[in-house]
Amino acid sequence: MMTPMRYVVLVLAIIISLHFILSFSHEEYGRATSLSRLSEQFGGSSPQPPYKNGVPEEYYVPSTPPVQGRRANATFVLLARNGDLNGVVMSMKQVEDRFNKEFQYPYVFLNEEPFSDEFKERVSALTDAKIEFGLIPKEDWVQPDWIDETRAAEERKKMVQNNVIYGGSVAYRNMCRFNSGFFYRQELLAKYKYYWRVEPDVTFFCDLHYDPFLLMEDQKKVYGFTVSLYEYPATIPTLWDTVKEFINANPDLVDPDSAMRFISDDGGETYNNCHFWSNFEIGDLDFWRGEAYSKFFDFLDEKGGFYYERWGDAPVHSIGAALFAKKDQIHFFNDIGYRHNPFQHCPQGDLHKKGKCWCNPKENFDYEWYSCLKRYDALFA
């Protein structure tokens, strides 16, 4: 007979798997996430965390472009292929309309193959901001020679047999490894301190009349997110054992005021699978370039789990941020309405009105039972 806990784990695995492969309509999304009452059973109330106080008014600017005003050393980063062009155009047009037409931050596009002239022409037509196109070095993208391909192929075969999403894909693993440890090392990003990651086919629902990069800079934030949820355990069976091995060897690198409680319910003995959904990130490139995360990624990479399993950049980034930053250096961008199918964050109340958000506030993932936002809130309780 299945115990209640095993039932919860089974349902959770099914839902997390589905989020990779389903592209819900808004109406379907509303039905799929009508589980708020269940979320109350998994959490309970807690004091208002700092992000619910709102953004100070001094960050807001007039509707005219503040190109000559104070600016952060920041850029948008888009990893895309030529075949992603239509999805890139959709995402980029919204970034411009919702935010960047006022701020004119530059863009860096990265691809493992040269961008086509059509790609360059169509995205360049969307903005007056500077755009740079980078070719990823082969050694930063392809599966390393030291990976045992026989072993890796056997593990991919097992994942396919077990219906693990992207379980048989080497290309997906290349992408996860690149986003985990190589994107911030690219030559075109060397001159920047902050980045905003944008992906094809995402939606931004709200006008943003303040500069989130300056908020990051002034408040010494290193990582910003909009959605958090549980990782699919079948993709990372030995990741946390590897993390513990690193912590035991480098205890001085873990910040005393870290967000460990976001990722572990027992002081680091086990991983609760919570992570920030890294398809949206606003972050500090110097944090990833720093000693702690650099050593951490290199340690993980040497274990081969990006290829022998299917370690994603979302749990790797999240664990890195949770361990090596102070908990108050991680910021929930509550006022940035965002959707990556099938989940979305839709600002509520005054934030919805202030941003002229067009998402349905009832379709909001924040406190559904498979969201991890309550665990983030609990860091400040």
Side-chain angles (χ1 to χ4, degrees):
M1 182 175 180
M2 185 175 291
T3 66
M5 182 55 67
R6 291 190 64 185
Y7 176 78
V8 168
V9 172
L10 175 61
V11 173
L12 181 62
I14 293 171
I15 291 173
I16 293 173
S17 178
L18 285 175
H19 93 258
F20 287 105
I21 56 177
L22 296 181
S23 179
F24 293 168
S25 70
H26 290 293
E27 181 180 358
E28 289 168 331
Y29 177 87
R31 292 197 297 266
T33 59
S34 60
L35 300 172
S36 298
R37 285 177 295 177
L38 279 177
S39 70
E40 296 172 2
Q41 300 172 17
F42 281 77
S45 61
S46 61
Q48 296 279 70
Y51 68 83
K52 291 193 175 179
N53 296 331
V55 176
E57 288 297 325
E58 60 262 29
Y59 283 99
Y60 285 84
V61 298
S63 58
T64 54
V67 176
Q68 304 304 319
R70 186 168 75 96
R71 295 167 59 79
N73 179 17
T75 185
F76 293 98
V77 177
L78 291 92
L79 176 65
R81 293 172 170 164
N82 291 311
D84 296 322
L85 178 56
N86 288 335
V88 167
V89 166
M90 186 184 80
S91 299
M92 187 176 171
K93 177 60 175 172
Q94 292 178 76
V95 168
E96 286 294 308
D97 289 348
R98 304 276 77 80
F99 169 72
N100 203 45
K101 65 185 178 184
E102 294 185 15
F103 292 86
Q104 299 292 294
Y105 277 104
Y107 290 83
V108 171
F109 283 87
L110 300 173
N111 191 349
E112 80 273 22
E113 298 178 351
F115 284 106
S116 67
D117 290 341
E118 180 189 8
F119 190 104
K120 293 178 181 180
E121 290 169 3
R122 286 189 61 188
V123 300
S124 297
L126 297 176
T127 183
D128 294 325
K130 179 181 179 180
I131 302 180
E132 295 180 280
F133 300 92
L135 179 63
I136 299 169
K138 183 177 179 181
E139 61 269 21
D140 291 354
W141 184 262
V142 301
Q143 178 176 300
D145 292 340
W146 50 263
I147 291 291
D148 181 345
E149 173 55 20
T150 301
R151 175 185 171 188
E154 182 61 30
E155 294 303 322
R156 293 196 301 270
K157 181 179 177 181
K158 291 178 183 177
M159 284 196 174
V160 170
Q161 292 171 344
N162 292 325
N163 297 314
V164 175
I165 188 66
Y166 302 125
S169 174
V170 175
Y172 189 84
R173 288 169 168 82
N174 289 340
M175 179 194 69
C176 289
R177 180 173 177 260
F178 175 81
N179 280 329
S180 294
F182 292 94
F183 88 93
Y184 53 87
R185 307 183 193 190
Q186 300 306 293
E187 183 178 356
L188 291 180
L189 291 177
K191 56 182 172 289
Y192 295 110
K193 179 171 174 58
Y194 297 101
Y195 72 101
W196 180 333
R197 176 172 163 181
V198 179
E199 293 205 349
D201 296 301
V202 298
T203 305
F204 293 94
F205 293 111
C206 310
D207 292 342
L208 198 64
H209 295 299
Y210 76 93
D211 189 335
F213 293 124
L214 290 180
L215 183 147
M216 297 284 287
E217 182 175 81
D218 293 348
Q219 298 188 13
K220 296 181 171 56
K221 307 290 186 181
V222 300
Y223 192 84
F225 71 99
T226 57
V227 174
S228 61
L229 68 162
Y230 294 91
E231 180 60 296
Y232 189 14
T235 65
I236 53 167
T238 68
L239 175 58
W240 191 252
D241 288 339
T242 306
V243 171
K244 288 200 297 182
E245 186 180 349
F246 179 83
I247 292 173
N248 290 335
N250 301 274
D252 56 310
L253 295 181
V254 179
D255 195 284
D257 195 26
S258 74
M260 172 69 86
R261 287 192 296 132
F262 176 74
I263 56 175
S264 177
D265 301 328
D266 50 18
E269 184 59 32
T270 60
Y271 179 35
N272 61 24
N273 295 312
C274 278
H275 68 282
F276 307 115
W277 218 17
S278 60
N279 47 70
F280 172 99
E281 295 179 327
I282 299 178
D284 184 340
L285 290 161
D286 287 342
F287 177 75
W288 305 128
R289 297 165 179 148
E291 177 191 7
Y293 186 80
S294 295
K295 290 181 68 172
F296 176 66
F297 171 76
D298 289 344
F299 187 86
L300 297 185
D301 198 31
E302 290 172 3
K303 297 293 183 179
F306 290 102
Y307 294 97
Y308 300 139
E309 296 177 10
R310 209 219 67 192
W311 295 354
D313 55 279
V316 172
H317 273 193
S318 301
I319 292 169
L323 293 179
F324 310 129
K326 297 183 184 301
K327 65 184 181 184
D328 59 6
Q329 290 182 297
I330 300 172
H331 183 72
F332 174 43
F333 279 100
N334 195 20
D335 44 12
I336 297 181
Y338 175 76
R339 178 183 180 88
H340 183 295
N341 284 331
F343 299 145
Q344 71 184 36
H345 165 64
C346 185
Q348 305 290 294
D350 290 343
L351 290 178
H352 194 280
K353 181 178 180 181
K354 191 169 189 175
K356 296 182 174 62
C357 305
W358 56 273
C359 51
N360 184 344
K362 294 180 181 179
E363 297 171 6
N364 184 38
F365 181 66
D366 291 0
Y367 293 107
E368 301 301 341
W369 71 273
Y370 42 99
S371 167
C372 288
L373 188 59
K374 282 194 176 224
R375 296 181 185 273
Y376 174 79
D377 291 352
L379 294 173
F380 306 98

